[in-house]
Amino acid sequence: MIAENSVKRMTPAIGAEVTGLDVNQLTASELSQLRRLWLQHKVLVIRNQKMSLNQLCDFSGYFGELMQLPYITPVDTHPKIICVQKKADEVNMGVFGGDWHSDFSFLKTPPAASILYAETIPPLGGDTLWANMSLALKNLPSHLLEWVENRNVIHTGAPYGIKNAPAADTQFTGSIEIQRNNPEADREMLHPAIVKHPDTGERSLFISPTYTTGIEGVEPDVGCSVLKELFEFCARPEFFCRLRWSANAVVIWDNRNTMHYAVNDYDGFERRMYRTTIAGQSPISGSA
Ligand code: SIN
């Protein structure tokens, strides 16, 4: 049983930390509570968990079917786990996940959730931020809402390819092997700009500066400037939480109504995490 006082919200906007649990020995009731809390808070943090990679897979499996990520070389022994690592000597370069995004939103069926387990963290820095995209939508000014109601937006993995490649000094070229210039990742995928959560029915924006490159049917220049304004709005601190990691913390987040951002401010120190990804379904339009 998860007691009410074991759940502490991280900010009024998003996220909660749960204490008093051993994720390797969860009861059926704790599991269903954990799932409910995850849907409610969108990001759940549980610290001080000693997990092997097998145990990480077992824990992740409670939240849905694990998927193997395309384009990223997984851990040798575990095809459904990736190692999110930046080594101490990997300096002056970008970091994996180092701008606002929802994981692999450019897929036809983007992931429902991701689970990240911290093995080695830098003494300072390397935090992760999550933004509540349902809250951003609720607060969206009407002149921006008009651009997203009943619209599709274009998602593409091209930032990891050549078409919209970010500046060389911000690209991640370190420990994670990412296949670049892959036509399947670089193709354009249309998703509703406003989606409805399949479990809660809550409406949310489904856009991000990493993967959303245009608005269907809108001139590219106009679409880009509207998206820029939307991204700036969504990344307001009122909508996000920031996690100071500790080794052995595990976090599960909902990719369908959040964006996240890995802060790249720890050059000279190692950060090593292991991530699983939970399969999702085609986004459902949340427009009226
Ligand atoms: C990711 O985007 O999955 C990486 C997040 C992180 O390293 O904090």
Side-chain angles (χ1 to χ4, degrees), residues 146-203:
E146 281 167 17
W147 283 102
V148 286
E149 280 283 13
N150 293 302
R151 298 258 192 194
N152 285 321
V153 285
I154 302 162
H155 291 244
T156 171
Y160 288 114
I162 44 168
K163 204 167 131 206
N164 297 309
D169 62 347
T170 64
Q171 281 186 25
F172 183 73
T173 50
S175 299
I176 298 180
E177 270 178 50
I178 301 173
Q179 292 169 27
R180 295 172 196 277
N181 309 327
N182 184 316
E184 249 192 71
D186 291 358
R187 81 189 155 167
E188 295 185 336
M189 180 63 65
L190 292 177
H191 287 312
I194 298 178
V195 294
K196 187 164 85 171
H197 196 286
D199 295 320
T200 64
E202 190 180 39
R203 278 163 34 101

Side-chain angles (χ1 to χ4, degrees), residues 75-122:
V75 170
D76 279 352
T77 49
H78 291 77
K80 296 192 176 158
I81 297 183
I82 59 166
C83 179
V84 177
Q85 180 179 29
K86 190 173 130 172
K87 293 184 183 153
D89 61 357
E90 291 171 341
V91 297
N92 299 321
M93 62 168 68
V95 73
F96 181 75
D99 197 353
W100 288 110
H101 64 287
S102 169
D103 288 328
F104 280 58
S105 65
F106 55 87
L107 296 179
K108 192 166 187 310
T109 52
S114 301
I115 298 175
L116 196 58
Y117 177 63
E119 189 183 82
T120 306
I121 58 150

Side-chain angles (χ1 to χ4, degrees), residues 20 30 43 48 54-55 82 86 107 116 126 140-141 154 162-163 187 200 214 218 221 233-235 243 251 253 287:
E30 285 170 339
V43 178
N48 304 318
N54 283 341
Q55 285 168 324
I82 59 166
K86 190 173 130 172
L107 296 179
L116 196 58
L140 205 60
I154 302 162
I162 44 168
K163 204 167 131 206
R187 81 189 155 167
T200 64
V218 175
D221 285 358
F233 184 81
C234 294
L243 176 67
V251 177
W253 67 86
S287 287

Side-chain angles (χ1 to χ4, degrees), residues 82 84 95-99 101 103 114 116 126-130 245 253 260-263 266 271 273 275:
I82 59 166
V84 177
V95 73
F96 181 75
D99 197 353
H101 64 287
D103 288 328
S114 301
L116 196 58
D127 297 355
T128 308
L129 279 59
W130 285 269
W245 286 93
W253 67 86
H260 57 283
Y261 184 121
V263 182
Y266 54 96
R271 180 179 187 268
M273 332 282 274
R275 204 189 89 184

